[in-house]
Amino acid sequence: MLCLVIALIINACQTKGADGNVSKAAAYQDVPFEQEVSVKYPFEGPKEALKVRADRNGVIQVLTEEGLFRTYGGAFLYPGRLVKDQTYRALGDKTLRDLVLYQEQLVYLDSVAVLSNAWAGKLFDLHGVAGAKIVCPSERFTFLVAGDDLIRGIRSNDILWETSTPKELLMVKYHPASKTHYVLSKTAIFSLDEEEGALTNLYSGNGLTCFDFIDEGQKIAVGTEDGYFIFDLSTNKASTKNSQLPCPAITSIKNIDGSLWIGSEKGAFRERKDGSYDYYFGERWLVGQEVIDIAKGPHGEVLFLTDQGLSKLEFDTHTLYEKAMYFEDQVRNRHIRFGFNASLGNMEKGNVASGMLKDSDNDGLWTAMYLAGQAFRYGVNGDDEALENCRESLDAMERLYTINPVEGFPSRSFNRSGYEKHLADPERWQRSDHPEWDWKATTSSDEAIGHVFAFGVLAEVVDEPAIRKKAIQLLDALMQHVVDHDFYLVDYDGNPTLWGKWNPDYVNGFPPMVGDRKLNSSNIIAMLQTAYHFTQKEIYKDKAFELMQDHGYLQNLMVPMENIGKAEDGSDEWAAMLSQSWNHSDDEMYFLGYWGLYRYAFNDSLKTQYGSAIKDHWEAERPEKDGLWNIFSALVSPNDYDQEEAIWYLKQYPMDLIDWTMVNSHRKDIVILDKNFREQATAKVLPPDELRIRRHNANRFALDGGGEGKAEYSAGDIWLLPYWMGRYLGLISGPEANVKNQY
């Protein structure tokens, strides 16, 4: 009965060609959104930093035990540095203990006076407080000065009042609406009357560290060594402490324009409206780890001070299109190697000017994904630059086939001879006929499916005859090689490569629950359909039906994802090894293949089956919120593809694509799951800008990892492919400057 059903599906009425170019989905309107980047200013060596402030003139000063420093240079991806501030040389002779703002001007405290260079330098109020360490301005040039044993209120060198300093004093802040100073020690919160200087104990506790006003001064957010709580100044009642934070060891709290920013021993975070947090930790965001102080920058930035330096978080608003144009420049400026879409490696701690373009086992795959993105870009607006990019990268792809002696066999990569890589990897690198060039062998199945995806997209989307012809010729050459060699990629030595295997003996040698059986079946049918669609060679259609009818490949590719798991007991070692856990590279291969599997289906009945398999896979992948998988799923269900999550991915992916080390496993605000087959570490996936940079073949749930800033990834495959594919399919509009943000 099952065979009859399969036969009916396969022999149903034939359809030719892809669907229309534009889906029926309601497009996301591309309105401006907020995007942050970090500009960094490291100290030349660790410093005992105390405070950071910025005045109305845009001057940023950092107070340390060694004196004042200020920022020099600095731009996104190009760090500046902190240098000794010698603007007012006389300040260099003073031992400054505190730095505050009054009327947006910088005010200093030393052992003798409260002073400033503003107001023509007239502010120089002697305080007479031994061990003076804190100054707090109030009104009418009145200043509170706190020392080891004494707190005084002074104005114009007059002492207005004084009181004893609470034990373990930490900070003092003034709120003008209530005309009250609030004083924090490690164990208590006090109010201090402006007129008489009387201290009143409002709250007693342990491990207090910092505070700031919220809700227009009606409440304060109080940091502790293990979380923070809200203290209502009108009722003197404290909320339950919140310790479910990225890092509950709080060191600084700052209310900046209504957003609560919290510094900790491991980075900084901002509370979102839904109660979750934006987390800024790791060298993508911060110089150093423990936040000592937070301040508002001169143009709305947020400043984070650590013992290692200063980080300035800048915010800008732009559309997805504007972000795409930034990434287009990033790729062309730093990531094109012989036309390949390449990574920049061997960098010195994030210094993009020190990097070297690296070859990769997957040069063909990453370039295929970039190439398809540029084809979609051309399909959207007929962009001449995109067309030239297609031409250049297609030339590189073509040379993968012509630089080696095997007909229709794509090399992994090529490079000039004499490069030191050959000594480290002699089996993969082979000499070409030209003495100047070598090529990399052992090409894998992920390369093959990437090539077929790109060639199909080019042939369908780009209406330039020479490009279309070359794409079809390369597609034909690859697939003829696969068919001629009994569904293997056969290398220069006459043997199949390790992974280039779609032969039934290999594929059906796996138990049904081992993912490679389903994956390889899905991929080879997609590859044959694509080849037939553009060449109309019957051999490709015949072979596809042979695999589906005689070898069960349709059944294989239809196996539900919930059935994929570890090989059963008694399976061979290869099957057991391949099924230890979910392989996220497989997801990339599946979805790249889905373009040809669904779009170029031989008939409508098969297309329905394929659509069901794609939808089933997408349901399994939804927790990862991968923008590319969501965009691909819109091929099948344009009105049900998690549009909001796709846009979230594109917005949240950082502008900084450097492979910084990022760590999240210590966080208390995330729910850690038990170890599982799919390697889903947390109940909810973290935003891309809180994780290490990952291509689409990596597990987006991995919490820790990175390369210490030694490489920069290209946006070509990571970001530009889903964006331009979404544009081409009508899922994302062109930029809309005056429409309210949807998300």
Side-chain angles (χ1 to χ4, degrees), residues 362-384:
N362 297 115
D363 274 343
L365 174 60
W366 310 139
T367 304
M369 296 173 75
Y370 169 64
L371 183 52
Q374 292 304 293
F376 289 133
R377 177 185 173 190
Y378 175 78
V380 167
N381 53 26
D383 192 291
D384 289 339

PDB file of all heavy atoms in Angstrom, residues 362-384:
ATOM      1  N   ASN A 362      35.645  25.662   3.611  1.00  0.00           N
ATOM      2  CA  ASN A 362      34.316  25.982   3.085  1.00  0.00           C
ATOM      3  C   ASN A 362      34.287  27.277   2.287  1.00  0.00           C
ATOM      4  O   ASN A 362      33.267  27.961   2.248  1.00  0.00           O
ATOM      5  CB  ASN A 362      33.303  26.054   4.235  1.00  0.00           C
ATOM      6  CG  ASN A 362      33.138  24.743   4.958  1.00  0.00           C
ATOM      7  OD1 ASN A 362      33.470  24.620   6.121  1.00  0.00           O
ATOM      8  ND2 ASN A 362      32.640  23.741   4.262  1.00  0.00           N
ATOM      9  N   ASP A 363      35.387  27.608   1.619  1.00  0.00           N
ATOM     10  CA  ASP A 363      35.377  28.815   0.789  1.00  0.00           C
ATOM     11  C   ASP A 363      34.234  28.795  -0.215  1.00  0.00           C
ATOM     12  O   ASP A 363      33.570  29.810  -0.453  1.00  0.00           O
ATOM     13  CB  ASP A 363      36.717  28.962   0.054  1.00  0.00           C
ATOM     14  CG  ASP A 363      37.768  29.685   0.879  1.00  0.00           C
ATOM     15  OD1 ASP A 363      37.396  30.343   1.862  1.00  0.00           O
ATOM     16  OD2 ASP A 363      38.955  29.589   0.544  1.00  0.00           O
ATOM     17  N   GLY A 364      34.005  27.637  -0.810  1.00  0.00           N
ATOM     18  CA  GLY A 364      32.926  27.536  -1.791  1.00  0.00           C
ATOM     19  C   GLY A 364      31.556  27.709  -1.172  1.00  0.00           C
ATOM     20  O   GLY A 364      30.668  28.330  -1.767  1.00  0.00           O
ATOM     21  N   LEU A 365      31.361  27.173   0.027  1.00  0.00           N
ATOM     22  CA  LEU A 365      30.063  27.276   0.700  1.00  0.00           C
ATOM     23  C   LEU A 365      29.777  28.705   1.129  1.00  0.00           C
ATOM     24  O   LEU A 365      28.706  29.249   0.851  1.00  0.00           O
ATOM     25  CB  LEU A 365      30.038  26.339   1.904  1.00  0.00           C
ATOM     26  CG  LEU A 365      28.808  26.436   2.807  1.00  0.00           C
ATOM     27  CD1 LEU A 365      27.530  26.135   2.045  1.00  0.00           C
ATOM     28  CD2 LEU A 365      28.953  25.499   4.012  1.00  0.00           C
ATOM     29  N   TRP A 366      30.736  29.330   1.851  1.00  0.00           N
ATOM     30  CA  TRP A 366      30.491  30.699   2.319  1.00  0.00           C
ATOM     31  C   TRP A 366      30.332  31.657   1.133  1.00  0.00           C
ATOM     32  O   TRP A 366      29.531  32.589   1.195  1.00  0.00           O
ATOM     33  CB  TRP A 366      31.625  31.189   3.207  1.00  0.00           C
ATOM     34  CG  TRP A 366      32.033  30.269   4.322  1.00  0.00           C
ATOM     35  CD1 TRP A 366      33.293  29.993   4.733  1.00  0.00           C
ATOM     36  CD2 TRP A 366      31.171  29.502   5.186  1.00  0.00           C
ATOM     37  NE1 TRP A 366      33.288  29.108   5.781  1.00  0.00           N
ATOM     38  CE2 TRP A 366      31.985  28.797   6.090  1.00  0.00           C
ATOM     39  CE3 TRP A 366      29.783  29.352   5.284  1.00  0.00           C
ATOM     40  CZ2 TRP A 366      31.477  27.950   7.070  1.00  0.00           C
ATOM     41  CZ3 TRP A 366      29.267  28.498   6.253  1.00  0.00           C
ATOM     42  CH2 TRP A 366      30.101  27.816   7.125  1.00  0.00           C
ATOM     43  N   THR A 367      31.080  31.399   0.078  1.00  0.00           N
ATOM     44  CA  THR A 367      30.962  32.255  -1.101  1.00  0.00           C
ATOM     45  C   THR A 367      29.639  32.018  -1.812  1.00  0.00           C
ATOM     46  O   THR A 367      29.017  32.965  -2.319  1.00  0.00           O
ATOM     47  CB  THR A 367      32.145  32.017  -2.054  1.00  0.00           C
ATOM     48  OG1 THR A 367      33.366  32.236  -1.331  1.00  0.00           O
ATOM     49  CG2 THR A 367      32.093  32.956  -3.237  1.00  0.00           C
ATOM     50  N   ALA A 368      29.193  30.760  -1.851  1.00  0.00           N
ATOM     51  CA  ALA A 368      27.894  30.461  -2.464  1.00  0.00           C
ATOM     52  C   ALA A 368      26.779  31.205  -1.745  1.00  0.00           C
ATOM     53  O   ALA A 368      25.858  31.750  -2.375  1.00  0.00           O
ATOM     54  CB  ALA A 368      27.636  28.958  -2.433  1.00  0.00           C
ATOM     55  N   MET A 369      26.850  31.279  -0.434  1.00  0.00           N
ATOM     56  CA  MET A 369      25.807  31.961   0.327  1.00  0.00           C
ATOM     57  C   MET A 369      25.859  33.469   0.091  1.00  0.00           C
ATOM     58  O   MET A 369      24.819  34.128  -0.030  1.00  0.00           O
ATOM     59  CB  MET A 369      25.939  31.613   1.808  1.00  0.00           C
ATOM     60  CG  MET A 369      25.706  30.130   2.086  1.00  0.00           C
ATOM     61  SD  MET A 369      26.048  29.615   3.788  1.00  0.00           S
ATOM     62  CE  MET A 369      24.629  30.286   4.641  1.00  0.00           C
ATOM     63  N   TYR A 370      27.068  34.008   0.043  1.00  0.00           N
ATOM     64  CA  TYR A 370      27.210  35.435  -0.291  1.00  0.00           C
ATOM     65  C   TYR A 370      26.737  35.697  -1.716  1.00  0.00           C
ATOM     66  O   TYR A 370      26.018  36.678  -1.978  1.00  0.00           O
ATOM     67  CB  TYR A 370      28.675  35.843  -0.135  1.00  0.00           C
ATOM     68  CG  TYR A 370      28.997  37.219  -0.690  1.00  0.00           C
ATOM     69  CD1 TYR A 370      28.430  38.361  -0.134  1.00  0.00           C
ATOM     70  CD2 TYR A 370      29.872  37.364  -1.764  1.00  0.00           C
ATOM     71  CE1 TYR A 370      28.728  39.626  -0.642  1.00  0.00           C
ATOM     72  CE2 TYR A 370      30.178  38.619  -2.272  1.00  0.00           C
ATOM     73  CZ  TYR A 370      29.606  39.745  -1.708  1.00  0.00           C
ATOM     74  OH  TYR A 370      29.902  40.988  -2.211  1.00  0.00           O
ATOM     75  N   LEU A 371      27.121  34.827  -2.628  1.00  0.00           N
ATOM     76  CA  LEU A 371      26.760  34.983  -4.035  1.00  0.00           C
ATOM     77  C   LEU A 371      25.247  34.960  -4.218  1.00  0.00           C
ATOM     78  O   LEU A 371      24.681  35.782  -4.955  1.00  0.00           O
ATOM     79  CB  LEU A 371      27.425  33.863  -4.840  1.00  0.00           C
ATOM     80  CG  LEU A 371      27.274  33.825  -6.354  1.00  0.00           C
ATOM     81  CD1 LEU A 371      27.651  35.147  -6.989  1.00  0.00           C
ATOM     82  CD2 LEU A 371      28.132  32.695  -6.921  1.00  0.00           C
ATOM     83  N   ALA A 372      24.578  34.041  -3.538  1.00  0.00           N
ATOM     84  CA  ALA A 372      23.115  34.002  -3.624  1.00  0.00           C
ATOM     85  C   ALA A 372      22.515  35.291  -3.076  1.00  0.00           C
ATOM     86  O   ALA A 372      21.555  35.837  -3.641  1.00  0.00           O
ATOM     87  CB  ALA A 372      22.576  32.797  -2.858  1.00  0.00           C
ATOM     88  N   GLY A 373      23.079  35.803  -1.977  1.00  0.00           N
ATOM     89  CA  GLY A 373      22.587  37.062  -1.432  1.00  0.00           C
ATOM     90  C   GLY A 373      22.734  38.206  -2.411  1.00  0.00           C
ATOM     91  O   GLY A 373      21.837  39.056  -2.546  1.00  0.00           O
ATOM     92  N   GLN A 374      23.867  38.255  -3.117  1.00  0.00           N
ATOM     93  CA  GLN A 374      24.063  39.318  -4.104  1.00  0.00           C
ATOM     94  C   GLN A 374      23.128  39.147  -5.299  1.00  0.00           C
ATOM     95  O   GLN A 374      22.672  40.137  -5.889  1.00  0.00           O
ATOM     96  CB  GLN A 374      25.519  39.335  -4.557  1.00  0.00           C
ATOM     97  CG  GLN A 374      26.492  39.764  -3.467  1.00  0.00           C
ATOM     98  CD  GLN A 374      26.149  41.125  -2.877  1.00  0.00           C
ATOM     99  OE1 GLN A 374      26.231  42.146  -3.550  1.00  0.00           O
ATOM    100  NE2 GLN A 374      25.750  41.141  -1.613  1.00  0.00           N
ATOM    101  N   ALA A 375      22.837  37.910  -5.643  1.00  0.00           N
ATOM    102  CA  ALA A 375      21.858  37.670  -6.711  1.00  0.00           C
ATOM    103  C   ALA A 375      20.477  38.187  -6.293  1.00  0.00           C
ATOM    104  O   ALA A 375      19.770  38.832  -7.085  1.00  0.00           O
ATOM    105  CB  ALA A 375      21.798  36.183  -7.045  1.00  0.00           C
ATOM    106  N   PHE A 376      20.080  37.906  -5.061  1.00  0.00           N
ATOM    107  CA  PHE A 376      18.799  38.415  -4.575  1.00  0.00           C
ATOM    108  C   PHE A 376      18.813  39.947  -4.547  1.00  0.00           C
ATOM    109  O   PHE A 376      17.805  40.587  -4.871  1.00  0.00           O
ATOM    110  CB  PHE A 376      18.507  37.871  -3.179  1.00  0.00           C
ATOM    111  CG  PHE A 376      18.178  36.401  -3.145  1.00  0.00           C
ATOM    112  CD1 PHE A 376      18.783  35.558  -2.216  1.00  0.00           C
ATOM    113  CD2 PHE A 376      17.263  35.856  -4.016  1.00  0.00           C
ATOM    114  CE1 PHE A 376      18.473  34.214  -2.161  1.00  0.00           C
ATOM    115  CE2 PHE A 376      16.937  34.499  -3.987  1.00  0.00           C
ATOM    116  CZ  PHE A 376      17.558  33.683  -3.047  1.00  0.00           C
ATOM    117  N   ARG A 377      19.937  40.522  -4.138  1.00  0.00           N
ATOM    118  CA  ARG A 377      20.056  41.988  -4.132  1.00  0.00           C
ATOM    119  C   ARG A 377      19.839  42.531  -5.544  1.00  0.00           C
ATOM    120  O   ARG A 377      19.111  43.518  -5.737  1.00  0.00           O
ATOM    121  CB  ARG A 377      21.437  42.385  -3.604  1.00  0.00           C
ATOM    122  CG  ARG A 377      21.717  43.879  -3.626  1.00  0.00           C
ATOM    123  CD  ARG A 377      23.158  44.151  -3.187  1.00  0.00           C
ATOM    124  NE  ARG A 377      23.526  45.558  -3.353  1.00  0.00           N
ATOM    125  CZ  ARG A 377      24.756  46.035  -3.234  1.00  0.00           C
ATOM    126  NH1 ARG A 377      25.752  45.209  -2.917  1.00  0.00           N
ATOM    127  NH2 ARG A 377      25.010  47.319  -3.409  1.00  0.00           N
ATOM    128  N   TYR A 378      20.464  41.902  -6.520  1.00  0.00           N
ATOM    129  CA  TYR A 378      20.269  42.324  -7.912  1.00  0.00           C
ATOM    130  C   TYR A 378      18.809  42.132  -8.325  1.00  0.00           C
ATOM    131  O   TYR A 378      18.223  42.985  -9.015  1.00  0.00           O
ATOM    132  CB  TYR A 378      21.190  41.532  -8.830  1.00  0.00           C
ATOM    133  CG  TYR A 378      20.973  41.828 -10.296  1.00  0.00           C
ATOM    134  CD1 TYR A 378      21.477  42.987 -10.872  1.00  0.00           C
ATOM    135  CD2 TYR A 378      20.241  40.953 -11.105  1.00  0.00           C
ATOM    136  CE1 TYR A 378      21.269  43.270 -12.212  1.00  0.00           C
ATOM    137  CE2 TYR A 378      20.023  41.225 -12.444  1.00  0.00           C
ATOM    138  CZ  TYR A 378      20.540  42.391 -12.996  1.00  0.00           C
ATOM    139  OH  TYR A 378      20.323  42.671 -14.324  1.00  0.00           O
ATOM    140  N   GLY A 379      18.214  41.026  -7.885  1.00  0.00           N
ATOM    141  CA  GLY A 379      16.819  40.772  -8.225  1.00  0.00           C
ATOM    142  C   GLY A 379      15.872  41.784  -7.632  1.00  0.00           C
ATOM    143  O   GLY A 379      14.794  42.044  -8.178  1.00  0.00           O
ATOM    144  N   VAL A 380      16.252  42.393  -6.509  1.00  0.00           N
ATOM    145  CA  VAL A 380      15.398  43.393  -5.851  1.00  0.00           C
ATOM    146  C   VAL A 380      15.398  44.707  -6.616  1.00  0.00           C
ATOM    147  O   VAL A 380      14.343  45.307  -6.851  1.00  0.00           O
ATOM    148  CB  VAL A 380      15.870  43.623  -4.392  1.00  0.00           C
ATOM    149  CG1 VAL A 380      15.205  44.868  -3.796  1.00  0.00           C
ATOM    150  CG2 VAL A 380      15.560  42.402  -3.545  1.00  0.00           C
ATOM    151  N   ASN A 381      16.589  45.179  -6.996  1.00  0.00           N
ATOM    152  CA  ASN A 381      16.658  46.533  -7.552  1.00  0.00           C
ATOM    153  C   ASN A 381      17.565  46.682  -8.761  1.00  0.00           C
ATOM    154  O   ASN A 381      17.860  47.806  -9.174  1.00  0.00           O
ATOM    155  CB  ASN A 381      17.094  47.515  -6.452  1.00  0.00           C
ATOM    156  CG  ASN A 381      18.381  47.077  -5.772  1.00  0.00           C
ATOM    157  OD1 ASN A 381      19.197  46.370  -6.361  1.00  0.00           O
ATOM    158  ND2 ASN A 381      18.569  47.495  -4.530  1.00  0.00           N
ATOM    159  N   GLY A 382      18.021  45.556  -9.346  1.00  0.00           N
ATOM    160  CA  GLY A 382      18.873  45.650 -10.527  1.00  0.00           C
ATOM    161  C   GLY A 382      20.184  46.371 -10.266  1.00  0.00           C
ATOM    162  O   GLY A 382      20.750  47.004 -11.163  1.00  0.00           O
ATOM    163  N   ASP A 383      20.702  46.257  -9.044  1.00  0.00           N
ATOM    164  CA  ASP A 383      21.894  46.990  -8.616  1.00  0.00           C
ATOM    165  C   ASP A 383      23.124  46.571  -9.418  1.00  0.00           C
ATOM    166  O   ASP A 383      23.494  45.399  -9.451  1.00  0.00           O
ATOM    167  CB  ASP A 383      22.110  46.726  -7.123  1.00  0.00           C
ATOM    168  CG  ASP A 383      23.141  47.644  -6.514  1.00  0.00           C
ATOM    169  OD1 ASP A 383      24.320  47.498  -6.847  1.00  0.00           O
ATOM    170  OD2 ASP A 383      22.756  48.499  -5.693  1.00  0.00           O
ATOM    171  N   ASP A 384      23.782  47.535 -10.065  1.00  0.00           N
ATOM    172  CA  ASP A 384      24.973  47.236 -10.870  1.00  0.00           C
ATOM    173  C   ASP A 384      26.116  46.700 -10.019  1.00  0.00           C
ATOM    174  O   ASP A 384      26.877  45.834 -10.465  1.00  0.00           O
ATOM    175  CB  ASP A 384      25.441  48.485 -11.625  1.00  0.00           C
ATOM    176  CG  ASP A 384      24.493  48.875 -12.751  1.00  0.00           C
ATOM    177  OD1 ASP A 384      23.723  47.998 -13.200  1.00  0.00           O
ATOM    178  OD2 ASP A 384      24.522  50.049 -13.168  1.00  0.00           O
TER     179      ASP A 384
END
